[in-house]
Amino acid sequence: HRTLDDALEWSWKLLEPREREALQHCAVFRGGFTVDAAEAVIDLSAHRDAPETLDVIQALRDKSMLHGRETHYFPGEVRLALYSPIREFVEGQLDASGQRRAVEERHAEYFVGEGRGWSTSLAESGGATLRRYILVERDNLLAVAERVLREGPVTVERAEPALKALLVLSQVLLIHGPLRTYSRIIEPVLEATAASGADPSLRG
């Protein structure tokens, strides 16, 4: 572990400041992410003359800090991800930066927005493709919901995205499973958000 930590620290110091910040922001993703998601969540506005987010992502891939992988739901489409040791390392860097909450809010806004769009279209027209989109982003949506379980008291700004994420997930988990995943989280989230002032219709 010591050797791995030293190697990660050395690699981290070799990155450009904007690359470090982008990699920190990637720590909030779960189960991989798309370039569109990265562009919505990563904020490099603090860096003067920073290149496009896509260019920074490519630089991190070139340096093996990010890798691409396919999902069986959409063969041929590549999603980005962090190796587990790198994720654990940059999680600590994100915490130390004081930016975690802001990054998580952008993450929640993006995935809840996308998920609700898919859910609406699913209700109107149906389609296996839309269900697959939700299934692919299941871990990111679960991450939005689970954040209310690690803090207290939960604010309405934190509670409503969590409840909306559960509603999106219900479109697929109650049909395709695993049902245990949904049943494990729904009661704790409802309990955690009970005094948040969230829209009662969401809780209903």
Side-chain angles (χ1 to χ4, degrees), residues 19-135:
E19 294 171 346
R20 293 178 197 164
E21 186 158 20
L23 194 59
Q24 285 177 182
H25 295 180
C26 289
V28 300
F29 292 113
R30 294 292 181 270
F33 57 98
T34 63
V35 170
D36 287 344
E39 291 179 331
V41 173
I42 295 172
D43 180 7
L44 301 177
S45 60
H47 300 271
R48 181 179 298 179
D49 300 325
E52 297 292 328
T53 300
L54 180 59
D55 295 331
V56 178
I57 288 294
Q58 186 58 54
L60 291 171
R61 287 193 69 183
D62 293 342
K63 295 175 181 180
S64 299
M65 304 302 282
L66 292 174
H67 69 279
R69 66 184 187 190
E70 291 188 17
T71 169
H72 69 275
Y73 291 111
F74 297 102
E77 292 189 16
V78 176
R79 290 170 61 80
L80 300 166
L82 290 82
Y83 293 109
S84 294
I86 295 176
R87 174 188 299 285
E88 293 176 8
F89 179 84
V90 297
E91 286 262 15
Q93 299 297 324
L94 180 60
D95 287 334
S97 74
Q99 297 184 56
R100 175 177 286 279
R101 191 171 187 94
V103 179
E104 287 181 345
E105 286 174 355
R106 293 195 296 272
H107 175 273
E109 181 179 6
Y110 176 79
F111 284 104
V112 170
E114 291 291 291
R116 285 169 71 85
W118 296 326
S119 294
T120 299
S121 298
L122 186 64
E124 292 173 350
S125 59
T129 298
L130 293 171
R131 286 194 178 88
R132 287 199 296 268
Y133 279 127
I134 298 173
L135 286 168

